[in-house]
Amino acid sequence: MVNRKEGTGRDILPDILKGFGITLVVLGHCIQESYNGADLGGNAFFDDRLYQFIYSFHMPLFMLISGYYAWNSVQRAKTTQERRKMIKRKCLYLITPIVVWRFLDFLYWYTTGEYVYRGAGAFLLEFLIAVLANFWFLWAVLYSFVLVCLMHYCFHDSIWLYALVFLAMFFTPDGLGLMACKFVFPYYLIGFYVNKNKKFLLERALSPENERRRKWCALFVSGLMFFGLFSFYNADSFVYLTGYKLIGKDYGVQLWIDFCRFLVGLCGIVFWSLLWGLLLQFRRQWAYGATLLAYLGSRSMGIYVVAGIPAKFLTFGLTENGSPVYGINLVQTVFILFWSLVIVGVLGRIKGVRMIVGQ
């Protein structure tokens, strides 16, 4: 069943899932900065179990939701002109915050002496590289959107071409965040085709007969699989450390790592989506919590791009015997989310500026 906000036609479950996800994003960054601030080594946080738990599924969840909504945009554009406008609009929507916030970073670094200007040529090259490496998730959404549009409009969703694309990903460079983009693309594609085949799934695969019982059974099975697989999750499971490509690596080991982390993420998505969906049936008991999460979710892109501003002042080394203090990290998360919403709210009201916060 589809859960909608009262008085609107917008599904509330995706917004709740995005609100849940962006909260985990900020919490994960707080844990990371706790380790960095304590000078425990550049990669110490990758061994933290809560950090591993968050990163095992939260970005794949965002990617699947992005792919789910992409189908609506793709199927609405009927003519070639409409398709070009839609793709151009999507590119501007995603690239604008990437470029603007990176330029503001350079401006801040220059004024604080962290960046030394060495001429226009050097600046343009450094800025271009920095832009391509900035906000990798937005690049992942953009690459995935353009690819599914190309496959859908020009090649009629050819399975064979998709297979070649997946194969090519194992033999292309991982630099500039491409390893993360390649890792999350399958989730985007899953979301895209779930929405495309939603009618079939609702009418047949999820028929009303014993619907609640089936959901609870699916929740139990997916939860068992997710937590069972997560018990094997470790630092090597992070695509940031082990990459995605096969070149120069042991093929068997790398393929096993790629497969396992994909499966953990997929099971996590199914489990948490079912759990939050079932909780919506009791929305009256936690109406304020559901509304708050949905509100966060509707502004998740803006929070994602501006959270670094309050985080500069609210995250620092907080460790106890080499471990982060999670309670304080949670408090930091609340404050960062609050001030991020304030920034997004202010910038979102300014014409010509709101695009940099996804409004």
Side-chain angles (χ1 to χ4, degrees):
M1 300 297 291
V2 176
N3 301 282
R4 299 184 184 277
K5 292 182 179 178
E6 296 179 5
T8 74
R10 183 182 177 92
D11 297 349
I12 189 175
L13 180 57
D15 280 338
I16 287 178
L17 290 172
K18 289 193 294 180
F20 173 59
I22 198 63
T23 302
L24 293 180
V25 168
V26 175
L27 176 58
H29 288 170
C30 288
I31 294 173
Q32 180 177 332
E33 290 306 314
S34 291
Y35 278 101
N36 289 340
D39 196 23
L40 295 175
N43 294 330
F45 48 86
F46 285 121
D47 292 315
D48 185 277
R49 286 304 278 170
L50 180 57
Y51 190 82
Q52 292 175 357
F53 175 78
I54 291 170
Y55 276 78
S56 67
F57 72 92
H58 77 320
M59 297 313 281
L61 174 63
F62 272 114
M63 204 64 180
L64 188 141
I65 295 172
S66 297
Y68 182 87
Y69 281 128
W71 167 250
N72 296 333
S73 299
V74 170
Q75 62 89 25
R76 278 198 302 263
K78 303 299 183 183
T79 67
T80 300
Q81 186 177 11
E82 288 176 344
R83 293 168 183 175
R84 288 175 179 172
K85 287 183 178 180
M86 181 264 295
I87 294 174
K88 179 181 178 180
R89 186 166 57 248
K90 189 74 169 181
C91 290
L92 286 173
Y93 176 75
L94 293 169
I95 293 177
T96 298
I98 296 174
V99 174
V100 172
W101 286 109
R102 183 51 88 190
F103 177 77
L104 293 175
D105 284 337
F106 268 76
L107 188 61
Y108 172 78
W109 295 333
Y110 179 76
T111 57
T112 58
E114 296 179 46
Y115 176 75
V116 179
Y117 181 74
R118 291 181 290 272
F123 170 76
L124 289 175
L125 178 60
E126 292 166 351
F127 182 71
L128 176 61
I129 294 174
V131 164
L132 292 173
N134 191 34
F135 295 138
W136 71 262
F137 176 75
L138 298 185
W139 281 116
V141 173
L142 179 59
Y143 296 150
S144 300
F145 182 76
V146 172
L147 182 56
V148 296
C149 285
L150 178 66
M151 296 293 285
H152 183 76
Y153 294 140
C154 301
F155 301 105
H156 308 290
D157 300 320
S158 170
I159 298 298
W160 294 110
L161 277 179
Y162 268 127
L164 288 175
V165 170
F166 279 119
L167 182 63
M169 287 180 178
F170 290 108
F171 299 95
T172 53
D174 278 347
L176 298 176
L178 287 176
M179 69 282 196
C181 297
K182 291 186 286 185
F183 163 58
V184 296
F185 173 68
Y187 300 107
Y188 189 93
L189 200 59
I190 290 171
F192 184 83
Y193 281 99
V194 164
N195 197 356
K196 179 181 179 181
N197 298 286
K198 182 168 61 176
K199 184 176 180 180
F200 167 81
L201 293 173
L202 290 175
E203 293 181 354
R204 300 184 183 182
L206 296 175
S207 60
E209 300 177 6
N210 300 319
E211 180 182 354
R212 181 175 295 185
R213 181 182 299 177
R214 292 183 182 184
K215 286 184 176 180
W216 281 108
C217 289
L219 177 71
F220 175 77
V221 172
S222 61
L224 192 65
M225 292 181 64
F226 170 60
F227 288 102
L229 289 168
F230 177 71
S231 65
F232 299 99
Y233 201 93
N234 55 38
D236 287 340
S237 302
F238 286 91
V239 71
Y240 313 112
L241 295 182
T242 52
Y244 192 87
K245 66 178 183 179
L246 297 177
I247 299 174
K249 303 175 184 176
D250 184 313
Y251 282 18
V253 172
Q254 184 63 41
L255 284 172
W256 179 250
I257 291 173
D258 289 335
F259 173 74
C260 288
R261 62 185 164 212
F262 167 76
L263 195 59
V264 171
L266 185 61
C267 291
I269 291 170
V270 174
F271 172 74
W272 290 106
S273 298
L274 286 170
L275 179 61
W276 286 111
L278 288 167
L279 285 175
L280 276 178
Q281 298 176 7
F282 310 99
R283 192 183 172 198
R284 289 184 179 179
Q285 284 79 1
W286 65 292
Y288 290 112
T291 302
L292 176 59
L293 280 178
Y295 182 76
L296 288 171
S298 66
R299 287 154 178 76
S300 57
M301 178 177 167
I303 295 172
Y304 174 68
V305 298
V306 308
I309 298 174
K312 289 181 182 295
F313 307 99
L314 296 172
T315 56
F316 43 87
L318 293 166
T319 61
E320 204 171 71
N321 299 322
S323 300
V325 182
Y326 295 135
I328 300 179
N329 290 146
L330 285 171
V331 173
Q332 291 175 328
T333 299
V334 171
F335 277 97
I336 291 172
L337 287 172
F338 172 77
W339 286 111
S340 296
L341 284 174
V342 171
I343 296 171
V344 171
V346 172
L347 296 180
R349 292 177 179 273
I350 304 175
K351 188 176 180 180
V353 175
R354 61 172 63 105
M355 187 179 288
I356 70 172
V357 290
Q359 298 296 307

mmCIF file of all heavy atoms in Angstrom, residues 206-221 274 278 281:
data_model
loop_
_atom_site.group_PDB
_atom_site.id
_atom_site.type_symbol
_atom_site.label_atom_id
_atom_site.label_comp_id
_atom_site.label_asym_id
_atom_site.label_seq_id
_atom_site.Cartn_x
_atom_site.Cartn_y
_atom_site.Cartn_z
ATOM 1 N N LEU A 206 2.678 -8.528 -4.689
ATOM 2 C CA LEU A 206 2.252 -8.070 -3.360
ATOM 3 C C LEU A 206 0.734 -7.936 -3.335
ATOM 4 O O LEU A 206 0.187 -6.889 -3.039
ATOM 5 C CB LEU A 206 2.917 -6.725 -3.025
ATOM 6 C CG LEU A 206 4.436 -6.740 -2.893
ATOM 7 C CD1 LEU A 206 4.948 -5.324 -2.683
ATOM 8 C CD2 LEU A 206 4.877 -7.632 -1.752
ATOM 9 N N SER A 207 0.043 -9.016 -3.640
ATOM 10 C CA SER A 207 -1.410 -8.989 -3.654
ATOM 11 C C SER A 207 -1.953 -8.726 -2.259
ATOM 12 O O SER A 207 -1.310 -9.046 -1.257
ATOM 13 C CB SER A 207 -1.947 -10.334 -4.173
ATOM 14 O OG SER A 207 -1.512 -11.388 -3.328
ATOM 15 N N PRO A 208 -3.148 -8.134 -2.159
ATOM 16 C CA PRO A 208 -3.699 -7.761 -0.858
ATOM 17 C C PRO A 208 -3.910 -8.930 0.091
ATOM 18 O O PRO A 208 -3.969 -8.742 1.301
ATOM 19 C CB PRO A 208 -5.042 -7.112 -1.235
ATOM 20 C CG PRO A 208 -4.869 -6.663 -2.649
ATOM 21 C CD PRO A 208 -3.984 -7.684 -3.273
ATOM 22 N N GLU A 209 -4.060 -10.141 -0.443
ATOM 23 C CA GLU A 209 -4.304 -11.304 0.408
ATOM 24 C C GLU A 209 -3.102 -11.554 1.322
ATOM 25 O O GLU A 209 -1.979 -11.772 0.858
ATOM 26 C CB GLU A 209 -4.566 -12.538 -0.461
ATOM 27 C CG GLU A 209 -5.779 -12.398 -1.376
ATOM 28 C CD GLU A 209 -5.950 -13.609 -2.269
ATOM 29 O OE1 GLU A 209 -5.191 -14.578 -2.082
ATOM 30 O OE2 GLU A 209 -6.825 -13.581 -3.145
ATOM 31 N N ASN A 210 -3.376 -11.545 2.612
ATOM 32 C CA ASN A 210 -2.328 -11.787 3.615
ATOM 33 C C ASN A 210 -1.143 -10.840 3.441
ATOM 34 O O ASN A 210 0.003 -11.216 3.698
ATOM 35 C CB ASN A 210 -1.843 -13.244 3.551
ATOM 36 C CG ASN A 210 -2.946 -14.242 3.824
ATOM 37 O OD1 ASN A 210 -3.763 -14.036 4.711
ATOM 38 N ND2 ASN A 210 -2.972 -15.309 3.039
ATOM 39 N N GLU A 211 -1.427 -9.591 2.999
ATOM 40 C CA GLU A 211 -0.343 -8.649 2.716
ATOM 41 C C GLU A 211 0.494 -8.369 3.949
ATOM 42 O O GLU A 211 1.723 -8.377 3.887
ATOM 43 C CB GLU A 211 -0.927 -7.341 2.178
ATOM 44 C CG GLU A 211 0.133 -6.301 1.849
ATOM 45 C CD GLU A 211 -0.475 -4.997 1.363
ATOM 46 O OE1 GLU A 211 -1.699 -4.947 1.172
ATOM 47 O OE2 GLU A 211 0.294 -4.036 1.188
ATOM 48 N N ARG A 212 -0.163 -8.111 5.084
ATOM 49 C CA ARG A 212 0.582 -7.780 6.291
ATOM 50 C C ARG A 212 1.441 -8.955 6.741
ATOM 51 O O ARG A 212 2.592 -8.773 7.130
ATOM 52 C CB ARG A 212 -0.381 -7.375 7.416
ATOM 53 C CG ARG A 212 0.326 -6.989 8.696
ATOM 54 C CD ARG A 212 -0.615 -6.471 9.755
ATOM 55 N NE ARG A 212 -1.244 -5.220 9.355
ATOM 56 C CZ ARG A 212 -2.038 -4.512 10.152
ATOM 57 N NH1 ARG A 212 -2.309 -4.942 11.378
ATOM 58 N NH2 ARG A 212 -2.564 -3.385 9.731
ATOM 59 N N ARG A 213 0.897 -10.168 6.673
ATOM 60 C CA ARG A 213 1.669 -11.342 7.079
ATOM 61 C C ARG A 213 2.895 -11.517 6.185
ATOM 62 O O ARG A 213 3.984 -11.826 6.664
ATOM 63 C CB ARG A 213 0.788 -12.585 7.011
ATOM 64 C CG ARG A 213 1.510 -13.867 7.434
ATOM 65 C CD ARG A 213 0.614 -15.081 7.308
ATOM 66 N NE ARG A 213 -0.561 -14.963 8.169
ATOM 67 C CZ ARG A 213 -1.535 -15.883 8.198
ATOM 68 N NH1 ARG A 213 -1.477 -16.943 7.397
ATOM 69 N NH2 ARG A 213 -2.551 -15.715 9.018
ATOM 70 N N ARG A 214 2.711 -11.287 4.890
ATOM 71 C CA ARG A 214 3.839 -11.417 3.965
ATOM 72 C C ARG A 214 4.915 -10.383 4.268
ATOM 73 O O ARG A 214 6.107 -10.668 4.196
ATOM 74 C CB ARG A 214 3.354 -11.255 2.524
ATOM 75 C CG ARG A 214 2.476 -12.381 2.024
ATOM 76 C CD ARG A 214 2.110 -12.177 0.565
ATOM 77 N NE ARG A 214 1.223 -13.216 0.078
ATOM 78 C CZ ARG A 214 0.809 -13.309 -1.177
ATOM 79 N NH1 ARG A 214 1.221 -12.413 -2.066
ATOM 80 N NH2 ARG A 214 0.002 -14.277 -1.550
ATOM 81 N N LYS A 215 4.493 -9.168 4.599
ATOM 82 C CA LYS A 215 5.463 -8.115 4.902
ATOM 83 C C LYS A 215 6.251 -8.452 6.162
ATOM 84 O O LYS A 215 7.472 -8.240 6.225
ATOM 85 C CB LYS A 215 4.753 -6.782 5.054
ATOM 86 C CG LYS A 215 4.293 -6.170 3.740
ATOM 87 C CD LYS A 215 3.672 -4.797 3.951
ATOM 88 C CE LYS A 215 3.293 -4.150 2.632
ATOM 89 N NZ LYS A 215 2.676 -2.816 2.813
ATOM 90 N N TRP A 216 5.558 -8.964 7.181
ATOM 91 C CA TRP A 216 6.265 -9.328 8.412
ATOM 92 C C TRP A 216 7.238 -10.480 8.164
ATOM 93 O O TRP A 216 8.352 -10.489 8.709
ATOM 94 C CB TRP A 216 5.272 -9.711 9.509
ATOM 95 C CG TRP A 216 4.646 -8.537 10.187
ATOM 96 C CD1 TRP A 216 3.368 -8.091 10.069
ATOM 97 C CD2 TRP A 216 5.295 -7.629 11.086
ATOM 98 N NE1 TRP A 216 3.168 -6.967 10.828
ATOM 99 C CE2 TRP A 216 4.321 -6.657 11.469
ATOM 100 C CE3 TRP A 216 6.581 -7.537 11.609
ATOM 101 C CZ2 TRP A 216 4.629 -5.620 12.351
ATOM 102 C CZ3 TRP A 216 6.875 -6.495 12.487
ATOM 103 C CH2 TRP A 216 5.915 -5.556 12.852
ATOM 104 N N CYS A 217 6.836 -11.442 7.343
ATOM 105 C CA CYS A 217 7.747 -12.553 7.000
ATOM 106 C C CYS A 217 8.954 -12.040 6.230
ATOM 107 O O CYS A 217 10.090 -12.445 6.500
ATOM 108 C CB CYS A 217 6.996 -13.603 6.175
ATOM 109 S SG CYS A 217 5.783 -14.564 7.104
ATOM 110 N N ALA A 218 8.693 -11.132 5.262
ATOM 111 C CA ALA A 218 9.796 -10.561 4.484
ATOM 112 C C ALA A 218 10.716 -9.745 5.377
ATOM 113 O O ALA A 218 11.935 -9.749 5.203
ATOM 114 C CB ALA A 218 9.242 -9.697 3.348
ATOM 115 N N LEU A 219 10.131 -9.032 6.352
ATOM 116 C CA LEU A 219 10.935 -8.248 7.295
ATOM 117 C C LEU A 219 11.845 -9.162 8.100
ATOM 118 O O LEU A 219 13.041 -8.869 8.272
ATOM 119 C CB LEU A 219 10.013 -7.469 8.235
ATOM 120 C CG LEU A 219 10.714 -6.651 9.333
ATOM 121 C CD1 LEU A 219 11.428 -5.454 8.710
ATOM 122 C CD2 LEU A 219 9.700 -6.178 10.379
ATOM 123 N N PHE A 220 11.307 -10.271 8.570
ATOM 124 C CA PHE A 220 12.100 -11.212 9.367
ATOM 125 C C PHE A 220 13.237 -11.811 8.545
ATOM 126 O O PHE A 220 14.388 -11.845 8.990
ATOM 127 C CB PHE A 220 11.199 -12.323 9.907
ATOM 128 C CG PHE A 220 11.941 -13.401 10.638
ATOM 129 C CD1 PHE A 220 12.391 -13.202 11.943
ATOM 130 C CD2 PHE A 220 12.216 -14.622 10.019
ATOM 131 C CE1 PHE A 220 13.084 -14.193 12.612
ATOM 132 C CE2 PHE A 220 12.905 -15.620 10.686
ATOM 133 C CZ PHE A 220 13.349 -15.399 11.986
ATOM 134 N N VAL A 221 12.920 -12.248 7.330
ATOM 135 C CA VAL A 221 13.938 -12.891 6.488
ATOM 136 C C VAL A 221 15.018 -11.890 6.086
ATOM 137 O O VAL A 221 16.221 -12.184 6.178
ATOM 138 C CB VAL A 221 13.282 -13.506 5.236
ATOM 139 C CG1 VAL A 221 14.359 -14.006 4.270
ATOM 140 C CG2 VAL A 221 12.361 -14.650 5.630
ATOM 141 N N LEU A 274 10.980 -2.062 4.727
ATOM 142 C CA LEU A 274 9.823 -2.781 5.266
ATOM 143 C C LEU A 274 9.522 -2.346 6.691
ATOM 144 O O LEU A 274 8.356 -2.170 7.068
ATOM 145 C CB LEU A 274 10.083 -4.292 5.220
ATOM 146 C CG LEU A 274 10.014 -4.959 3.846
ATOM 147 C CD1 LEU A 274 10.529 -6.383 3.921
ATOM 148 C CD2 LEU A 274 8.581 -4.942 3.318
ATOM 149 N N LEU A 278 6.052 -0.619 7.781
ATOM 150 C CA LEU A 278 5.154 -1.211 8.768
ATOM 151 C C LEU A 278 4.902 -0.260 9.932
ATOM 152 O O LEU A 278 3.798 -0.194 10.477
ATOM 153 C CB LEU A 278 5.743 -2.534 9.272
ATOM 154 C CG LEU A 278 5.689 -3.682 8.255
ATOM 155 C CD1 LEU A 278 6.573 -4.843 8.699
ATOM 156 C CD2 LEU A 278 4.246 -4.161 8.071
ATOM 157 N N GLN A 281 2.014 2.175 9.739
ATOM 158 C CA GLN A 281 0.677 1.732 10.093
ATOM 159 C C GLN A 281 0.285 2.191 11.497
ATOM 160 O O GLN A 281 -0.894 2.220 11.840
ATOM 161 C CB GLN A 281 0.591 0.210 9.998
ATOM 162 C CG GLN A 281 0.834 -0.322 8.601
ATOM 163 C CD GLN A 281 0.843 -1.834 8.539
ATOM 164 O OE1 GLN A 281 0.535 -2.509 9.518
ATOM 165 N NE2 GLN A 281 1.178 -2.390 7.381
#
